[in-house]
Amino acid sequence: MSQQILLLPGDGIGPEVIREAQKVLTKVISRFNLDIQMGSALLGGAAIDAEGVPLPESTMQKAKAADAILLGAVGGPKWDEVDRAIRPEKGLLGLRSGLQLFANLRPAVTFSQLADASSLKKELVAGLDILIVRELTGGIYFGEPRGIRVLENGERQGYNTYVYSESEIERIGRVAFEAAQSRGGRLCSVDKANVLEVTVLWREVMDRLAAEYPDVELSHMYVNNAAMQLIRAPKQFDVMVTGNMFGDILSDAAAMLTGSIGMLPSASMDINGKGMYEPCHGSAPDIAGQNKANPLAAILSAAMMMRYSLGLEEIACTIEKAVEQALDDGYRTVDIYTQGHQQVNTIEMGDAVTRIVATI
Ligand code: IPM
Ligand code: MG
């Protein structure tokens, strides 16, 4: 039976970058004669506009039936005023939790061609290759109770709950230890154990797991220090594991080390390796519809999808090589442009990768 990919273009620059990734996928599917079918569905603001909710039941059904999902981005100022319960982001969070995609892998790799596009000194980022493992279906993003309430004195108070159960910590910990085993053998667990009890437990569980992975060297770091170290000396890290909110923040910081958040793919997996793949950059409403966005994070997300959910390692490598080749050939979208290169738009970058993928 053919494998099914579900495309969820979403909002903002999502549809623009997914269109380019789809072009590359269509090319590899025909060139390598792969038995893969692609369909699409609405998510986020696009779904609110069409159906009144950010995650329609039909999208959820298609997502459950698919072997893998490639998502663009959700959200934008157009939906800022809608009821909080149906904001576009709820669609994404609902999909992550509904499919139990608890393990978010965010590799921050600095392509040698782009070392001078980073806002950090070249020697700090050249050769960077770190993996952030972010817990994605728990923590303060999902904890109950939550809301905005009115106190007795009439003042309003916002509140959220930061919770992690031992089994949730252990589950993401194992993913991170195994990732470290297959890479440089070093794992840094990021917490705030000097203040937050939930992360005291986090640290305890990581320490307990370490005994089962003697080939991995585990260290711990407070999140504030980790933010500083990422900017000060990022190459000290191999794999980092952390909770949902800290991972959201640190992965944006790590993205900038690579030159642009427009280069960062991600994978969100369930316990069986089924996954949803998305660029880390979000919907970037300020440049949406202008054919300016960098489609490489979406294209690299498609490569990760081939590798992790469809078992097509060689195809993944082919797509990644094509991206490298496009950079070698000097193509740069505006976010990664440096002097001496050829500035291209979203479609031209997608065309370049599609052309190269047909020949290598
Ligand atoms: C991300 C995004 C999302 C998150 C938003 C859009 C809800 O920032 O994927 O990192 O915070 O998880
Ligand atoms: Mg984020």
Side-chain angles (χ1 to χ4, degrees):
M1 220 178 80
S2 51
Q3 290 181 302
Q4 304 285 336
I5 295 175
L6 179 66
L7 303 174
L8 298 173
D11 310 317
I13 60 171
E16 297 168 62
V17 298
I18 292 299
R19 203 172 301 129
E20 300 315 308
Q22 187 178 4
K23 238 159 40 184
V24 174
L25 286 171
T26 304
K27 182 59 78 181
V28 291
I29 288 170
S30 69
R31 169 150 190 236
F32 298 98
N33 229 341
L34 305 172
D35 192 7
I36 294 178
Q37 289 183 347
M38 287 189 276
S40 68
L42 294 173
L43 182 74
I48 295 175
D49 289 349
E51 309 199 14
V53 287
L55 177 55
E57 190 46 40
S58 58
T59 297
M60 193 62 183
Q61 289 313 323
K62 284 184 189 174
K64 283 189 171 148
D67 295 291
I69 303 162
L70 183 63
L71 180 136
V74 296
K78 181 175 175 197
W79 303 280
D80 272 355
E81 302 305 318
V82 304
D83 182 359
R84 234 189 5 259
I86 59 154
R87 281 184 64 92
E89 289 81 358
K90 287 275 177 189
L92 176 57
L93 296 175
L95 207 49
R96 287 174 179 170
S97 82
L99 298 174
Q100 298 192 47
L101 305 172
F102 70 94
N104 186 213
L105 310 181
R106 299 193 158 184
V109 176
T110 306
F111 286 88
S112 56
Q113 300 91 333
L114 298 183
D116 51 7
S118 172
S119 45
L120 267 69
K121 290 195 197 92
K122 190 172 176 161
E123 60 271 23
L124 286 184
V125 296
L128 180 81
D129 179 358
I130 61 187
L131 176 68
I132 298 186
V133 178
R134 168 189 175 193
E135 201 290 328
L136 203 58
T137 53
I140 196 165
Y141 282 24
F142 290 93
E144 298 281 350
R146 62 192 297 156
I148 299 174
R149 61 191 162 204
V150 182
L151 298 177
E152 272 177 18
N153 67 5
E155 191 188 5
R156 289 192 308 155
Q157 185 184 54
Y159 58 101
N160 288 90
T161 307
Y162 191 178
V163 278
Y164 268 121
S165 61
E166 249 180 307
S167 58
E168 283 177 303
I169 303 169
E170 182 170 331
R171 186 170 71 162
I172 193 69
R174 289 194 184 282
V175 171
F177 274 102
E178 280 163 29
Q181 275 180 327
S182 71
R183 294 174 40 105
R186 287 179 302 116
L187 176 62
C188 178
S189 171
V190 176
D191 62 40
K192 189 70 186 171
N194 52 344
V195 180
L196 301 172
E197 285 79 1
V198 41
T199 69
V200 172
L201 181 66
W202 178 281
R203 191 176 278 224
E204 245 181 71
V205 173
M206 291 296 162
D207 277 333
R208 174 159 54 74
L209 283 179
E212 291 180 45
Y213 301 89
D215 47 341
V216 175
E217 183 195 317
L218 174 69
S219 61
H220 301 280
M221 202 178 269
Y222 296 141
V223 63
N224 51 310
N225 187 26
M228 183 175 77
Q229 296 300 334
L230 265 178
I231 311 300
R232 192 186 74 84
K235 282 190 264 184
Q236 70 184 282
F237 297 110
D238 177 18
V239 180
M240 301 173 92
V241 63
T242 190
N244 205 341
M245 180 167 65
F246 296 162
D248 185 26
I249 298 166
L250 293 180
S251 62
D252 268 27
M256 277 322 292
L257 308 173
T258 70
S260 165
I261 197 166
M263 295 299 300
L264 236 70
S266 79
S268 307
M269 327 272 286
D270 74 4
I271 199 87
N272 302 311
K274 171 165 173 171
M276 180 161 85
Y277 299 80
E278 49 180 309
C280 292
H281 51 57
S283 62
D286 52 324
I287 58 162
Q290 297 175 31
N291 196 20
K292 263 191 195 171
N294 184 347
L296 294 181
I299 294 170
L300 291 168
S301 298
M304 284 184 96
M305 174 174 77
M306 291 297 186
R307 170 173 297 122
Y308 292 122
S309 284
L310 303 187
L312 297 167
E313 172 68 25
E314 278 181 36
I315 305 291
C317 289
T318 305
I319 296 173
E320 286 162 354
K321 271 194 214 131
V323 168
E324 289 246 19
Q325 185 64 51
L327 295 173
D328 280 338
D329 291 350
Y331 296 109
R332 300 283 189 277
T333 42
V334 62
D335 56 308
I336 50 173
Y337 177 77
T338 47
Q339 233 188 350
H341 297 104
Q342 186 188 343
Q343 193 174 315
V344 293
N345 60 35
T346 310
I347 295 175
E348 288 165 342
M349 184 61 107
D351 284 345
V353 178
T354 307
R355 202 168 50 238
I356 297 165
V357 101
T359 58
I360 54 174

